[in-house]
Every structure is written in structure tokens, then in C-alpha cells.
Amino acid sequence: MTAAIIDGRAVAERVREQVAGEVAQLVERTGRPPGLATILVGDDPASVVYVAMKRKACAEAGIADHHQHLPTDVSQADVAALIERRNADPEVSGILLQLPVPAGLNGQDLTGLIAPGKDVDGLTPISVGRLVRGTPGLRPCTPVGVIALLDAYDVPLEGAETVVVGRSDLVGKPVSLLLLARHATVTICHSRTRDLSAVCSRADVLVAAAGIPRLLGAEHVKPGAVVIDVGVNRAEQGLVGDVDFATVAERARLITPVPGGVGPMTIAMLLRNTLLAAGLQESAGAQSAA
Ligand code: ADP
């Protein structure tokens, strides 16, 4: 078997066009575009690139850009004060603190200050709690992008055997909870898992999010499985995923490439979350005015 490729760029493009259309409707209705406040602290090269990509995508979707770049030596209190100002600013629908922040700052504490209704990264304790409970809230972008890709390719999740490799707060845990919410049977593997290939080979849907280049090969994949590779590892030959694409593509039914798979979905989902946040604030405003 040779797997069909899941085209993340094409799916992301459709999502972005849809968001742009809904942004235009919101502007018509309220006279105000949604706004995204990105906060970049310091000059980590990867973070600089990611934030630039997010701002560009926002502008293309008609979302207002409220970027702030802070120096590496800024104090925790000053970043906290900026977040509080953004929380109170009616022009800001969503707030994104780019992680990691420089040593000396506590990124988790700072993220926790973001108002839940503006938490477009879905990483505050309140958003995480809502995800665990299954109540409405903003969900983290990469995990929700994984689900959107599976949906775009009509991959059945209800009752499916799904295995997630990795238990990070950013990807592994939230994607597991989203799969659970879709009634999948979910197994989470991590560095202490005893027999990784035996567990992974059970999966109808295998999600790789361990951050280890080519951790998963053909022996980890059941013939006909759907393989989603969240890994983004910088190697000599460029970006490589957590999945050994060439050998796994011979066994799987559907597979995401790296780059061009999950990556483009993350930004598309950030735009969608910003639009959702703006909609929530609009209805909250309408309620308090009533
Ligand atoms: P992410 O980009 O998904 O947030 P991280 O690098 O932060 O990735 O986290 C890596 C995750 O992968 C950790 O939760 C860790 O437990 C898991 N992991 C690390 N090594 C292995 C391994 N050999 N097998 C399975 N899981 C692993």
C-alpha cells in the first residue's frame, strides 16, 4: 500500500478563506474587525519567524494586528501589565504570548494571566479545564488542527483505536482529550512506554508528537492506518517529522507530510480561534447591554 498524502496546506487555505469571509461579515455587522495581540519577548529566531507568519496570516484574513515586541530583559511585571492592558482593550479579541519566553520569565504564569475569553492559544488553566470537562471554550491550535485534518479526510473517530505518542501540554495531552471527546479509544504513549511499537501498531489513527526525528517507522504502523505527524524537527536535510515518512508511507492509508501537513493548520486554527473569541465578546457585550 502507498498512502495518500494529507494536504495540510490545502485544508488550511480553505479554513483561512472561510475565516476571512466570516471576518468580513463581522465587520459589516459590528463595524469592527477582530484583533489579535501577539506578544513576542526577545529575539529567539524560530519565535520571530512564527510570530511574523501569524501576523501576516491575520492581516490576510482581515484581522487587526496589535503586535508588541518586548526586549529580552523586560521584567515579569512589565509583561504582566501588558497582558492586563490587552485583556481590558475592547479592540483586542485574542492574545497570544509566543512561547518560549526568555529565561528569567515564567511563561506559564504569564500565559495564565490571559483572560480566558481571549485565550486563542487555549493554554490557560481555565481553557485546559474546559477542554477536560468538555464545556465550550477556546481549544489549543495545533491539536484542533489535527482534528480538523482528520475531519477533512473523513477519518472516522468514533470507536476508533487512536494512539498519541507524546504527552506535552501543548500537543499530546490536548489532542488526546479532543480525540476522547470524539468518542475515540485513546492511548497515550511517552518516554516510559514499555513496547512502543506494539502499542502504536494497534492504532487506526496514530498521532506522533514526541519531538524526536523519525521516532516512528514502519514497525510502529498498522497497515492501512492514518498517520498524523506533528513533529517539527530541524535536521541537516531540513525539517523532518517524528515519522519516517518514506517507510511509513508504504504501510499507511493516509499520512501527513512534514512540512505541509499539520504545520499550516496551526495558524489557520489561530485565525479561527481569534474569530471565535471576537464572536464570544460580541455576544457577551450584547448581553450586558441588554
Ligand atoms: P510537543 O511539540 O508535542 O509539545 P515536546 O518535545 O514538548 O513536544 O514533548 C515531547 C513529548 O514526547 C513528551 O511528552 C515525552 O513524554 C514524549 N516522548 C519523549 N520521548 C518519547 C519516546 N521515546 N516515546 C514516546 N514518547 C516520547
Side-chain angles (χ1 to χ4, degrees):
M1 179 174 320
T2 302
I5 308 283
I6 294 178
D7 187 345
R9 288 200 182 101
V11 179
E13 189 52 44
R14 289 205 294 276
V15 173
R16 286 166 62 156
E17 278 168 13
Q18 198 192 344
V19 170
E22 289 181 38
V23 165
Q25 286 172 18
L26 184 87
V27 172
E28 211 160 283
R29 208 168 54 238
T30 66
R32 185 154 72 192
L36 177 68
T38 45
I39 302 172
L40 172 65
V41 187
D43 301 291
D44 174 70
S47 293
V48 168
V49 172
Y50 287 143
V51 169
M53 287 165 68
K54 290 168 184 177
R55 294 176 63 199
K56 180 164 173 277
C58 267
E60 283 168 11
I63 294 171
D65 175 28
H66 302 273
H67 176 65
Q68 183 97 36
H69 188 181
L70 300 171
T72 310
D73 60 359
V74 71
S75 70
Q76 180 92 0
D78 283 350
V79 186
L82 173 62
I83 292 173
E84 296 296 0
R85 284 201 300 280
R86 296 311 201 200
N87 281 342
D89 185 343
E91 304 218 336
V92 170
S93 323
I95 302 171
L96 183 150
L97 174 67
Q98 183 67 38
L99 299 174
V101 291
L105 294 179
N106 184 325
Q108 196 167 338
D109 284 357
L110 290 170
T111 298
L113 298 174
I114 296 171
K118 297 189 176 187
D119 177 23
V120 286
D121 254 345
L123 298 177
T124 64
I126 301 243
S127 296
V128 175
R130 288 172 175 170
L131 170 62
V132 173
R133 282 267 175 94
T135 54
L138 294 164
R139 309 297 194 222
C141 300
T142 301
V144 93
V146 168
I147 303 295
L149 272 186
L150 292 167
D151 285 343
Y153 283 79
D154 294 320
V155 176
L157 294 176
E158 190 171 331
E161 285 283 349
T162 63
V163 174
V164 176
V165 182
R167 56 175 162 181
S168 71
D169 292 333
L170 200 57
V171 183
K173 280 183 206 165
V175 85
S176 301
L177 289 161
L178 290 171
L179 289 166
L180 186 61
R182 296 291 296 273
H183 312 294
T185 300
V186 185
T187 305
I188 306 174
C189 296
H190 46 78
S191 48
R192 313 281 172 88
T193 296
R194 216 180 301 135
D195 189 345
L196 189 63
S197 61
V199 179
C200 289
S201 319
R202 295 207 302 257
D204 303 315
V205 176
L206 180 62
V207 178
I212 301 175
R214 301 203 182 91
L215 174 69
L216 305 181
E219 72 277 21
H220 296 90
V221 176
K222 179 167 89 172
V226 175
V227 179
I228 306 289
D229 190 352
V230 188
V232 185
N233 310 291
R234 268 156 249 279
E236 269 172 34
Q237 59 276 57
L239 283 188
V240 300
D242 290 357
V243 172
D244 184 38
F245 184 87
T247 58
V248 170
E250 291 300 312
R251 258 171 107 83
R253 169 171 83 82
L254 277 171
I255 186 169
T256 58
V258 176
V262 175
M265 293 301 289
T266 298
I267 290 187
M269 292 301 147
L270 171 66
L271 303 184
R272 207 177 69 173
N273 271 353
T274 306
L275 174 68
L276 286 175
L280 290 174
Q281 285 147 35
E282 187 199 352
S283 40
Q287 266 167 22
S288 60

